[in-house]
Amino acid sequence: MSALLVAFDLETGRNQPQVQALLEQYDAMRFSSSAFAINTHLSPDTIFEQLQPLLGKDDLAYVVTLDKPWMGYGYEAMNGWLKRHLG
């Protein structure tokens, strides 16, 4: 399993609920309204291919593998998720 960061900017906000529903199918933690960390056995390419039909021509999306070391300050649930999945 690997932890992935999925960040997106949907130009018109269209398909926001569908993108969120797709990402929440995984062990997901929301970083912000447009970024999620997910834990999955799938590759970044595969996750991006799942996102692509929901993206418009002016939308942006990135799927990046997360790894340690990491550093950050935020809410307890996110810190716990990162510790569980990244160490």
Side-chain angles (χ1 to χ4, degrees):
M1 297 282 256
S2 61
L4 304 175
L5 174 65
V6 181
F8 51 91
D9 183 10
L10 305 180
E11 195 62 31
T12 62
R14 76 176 191 94
N15 291 338
Q16 178 89 20
Q18 294 90 335
V19 169
Q20 183 172 335
L22 171 71
L23 298 175
E24 288 176 345
Q25 292 176 19
Y26 303 98
D27 177 5
M29 179 57 62
R30 185 180 199 146
F31 268 105
S32 69
S33 62
S34 60
F36 284 76
I38 64 171
N39 194 47
T40 179
H41 66 281
L42 301 174
S43 71
D45 292 351
T46 301
I47 297 298
F48 187 81
E49 288 169 7
Q50 292 177 357
L51 277 173
Q52 213 162 15
L54 301 173
L55 301 175
K57 66 179 180 71
D58 295 324
D59 296 338
L60 306 173
Y62 293 92
V63 182
V64 180
T65 302
L66 294 172
D67 201 358
K68 61 181 177 180
W70 65 274
M71 181 56 62
Y73 176 79
Y75 54 97
E76 186 111 3
M78 175 56 75
N79 295 341
W81 192 98
L82 290 168
K83 286 177 186 173
R84 278 192 313 280
H85 297 294
L86 299 179

